[in-house]
């Protein structure tokens, strides 16, 4: 399970190509993958070749740091590949919706976001801006600033229940 950039790692840990390269020598696999509000703006080569373990993505619909739309597209690719994946959206939840310390919404002035970028992995494994076909840079025109973070108690509580129920099922625990 991971949150934001850690959510990306939770998704990457399911990708067979990355696991084969970076995973442990003993070949142990995760029982499930849970990603909270990950950045899905980069399309990797063979990114739908993932573990057969379930993947769950929990995301706020209005998130303007890591928007949900690219995650929808990724989930469509995984669904087409017959993978066990679900995207759970929270309609009034921004980025870091589960952090009670952000009860007062906070705009991260000057913080960069790739929310309007479409990035792809090139044949040489370099990440390129799909629009320019040049190596991605945070100086690219698609990079924007000032995303918002905000706690949403209802979404946070619902997400905790979803994860609890999901892991109870995966590990066959008694409720």
């Amino acid at each position: 399970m991971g949150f934001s950039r850690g959510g990306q790692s939770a998704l990457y840990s399911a990708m067979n190509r990355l696991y084969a390269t970076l995973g442990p020598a003993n070949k142990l696999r995760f029982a499930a993958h849970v990603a909270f509000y990950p950045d899905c703006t980069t399309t990797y080569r063979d990114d739908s070749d993932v573990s057969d373990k379930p993947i769950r993505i929990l995301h706020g619909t209005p998130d303007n740091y890591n928007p949900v739309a690219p995650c929808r597209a990724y989930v469509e690719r995984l669904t087409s590949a017959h993978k066990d994946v679900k995207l759970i959206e929270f309609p009034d939840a921004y980025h870091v919706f589960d952090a009670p310390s952000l009860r007062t919404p906070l705009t991260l002035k000057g913080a960069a976001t790739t929310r309007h970028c479409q990035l792809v992995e090139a044949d040489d494994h370099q990440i390129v801006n799909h629009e320019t076909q040049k190596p991605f840079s945070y100086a690219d025109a698609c990079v924007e600033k000032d995303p918002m973070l905000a706690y949403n108690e209802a979404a946070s509580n619902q997400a905790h229940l979803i994860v609890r129920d999901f892991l109870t099922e995966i590990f066959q625990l008694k409720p």
Side-chain angles (χ1 to χ4, degrees):
M1 181 173 356
F3 303 80
S4 195
R5 293 281 185 234
Q8 286 175 265
S9 296
L11 293 178
Y12 298 159
S13 70
M15 294 170 71
N16 288 327
R17 178 174 64 103
L18 295 179
Y19 183 84
T21 305
L22 304 169
N26 63 12
K27 304 294 183 199
L28 285 177
R29 297 296 297 243
F30 290 104
H33 306 268
V34 179
F36 275 74
Y37 36 84
D39 178 355
C40 299
T41 58
T42 304
T43 301
Y44 291 90
R45 293 172 49 224
D46 302 320
D47 66 358
S48 62
D49 178 18
V50 297
S51 163
D52 288 328
K53 302 301 182 184
I55 299 169
R56 300 296 180 266
I57 302 171
L58 296 95
H59 216 303
T61 304
D63 188 330
N64 70 348
Y65 202 147
N66 293 336
V68 71
C71 290
R72 287 183 194 130
Y74 185 46
V75 167
E76 285 180 25
R77 291 195 307 278
L78 292 175
T79 300
S80 293
H82 308 288
K83 299 301 178 177
D84 181 357
V85 60
K86 288 185 181 144
L87 171 63
I88 299 104
E89 290 188 48
F90 302 95
D92 298 319
Y94 284 86
H95 200 70
V96 197
F97 65 81
D98 56 332
S101 62
L102 294 168
R103 288 184 191 276
T104 301
L106 172 67
T107 298
L108 291 179
K109 290 290 185 191
T113 170
T114 58
R115 64 182 167 226
H116 289 115
C117 298
Q118 185 180 7
L119 309 177
V120 295
E121 180 184 14
D123 290 339
D124 64 357
H125 305 291
Q126 190 166 39
I127 303 302
V128 299
N129 181 324
H130 185 295
E131 185 177 318
T132 65
Q133 291 299 303
K134 296 190 185 304
F136 171 72
S137 163
Y138 279 95
D140 286 359
C142 64
V143 175
E144 295 184 359
K145 301 208 185 280
D146 305 336
M148 185 179 356
L149 311 179
Y151 176 64
N152 181 305
E153 184 174 15
S156 180
N157 290 339
Q158 186 179 3
H160 284 116
L161 291 173
I162 289 167
V163 171
R164 184 197 67 195
D165 292 348
F166 175 61
L167 295 178
T168 296
E169 178 184 334
I170 292 297
F171 294 113
Q172 301 174 354
L173 303 172
K174 294 180 183 178

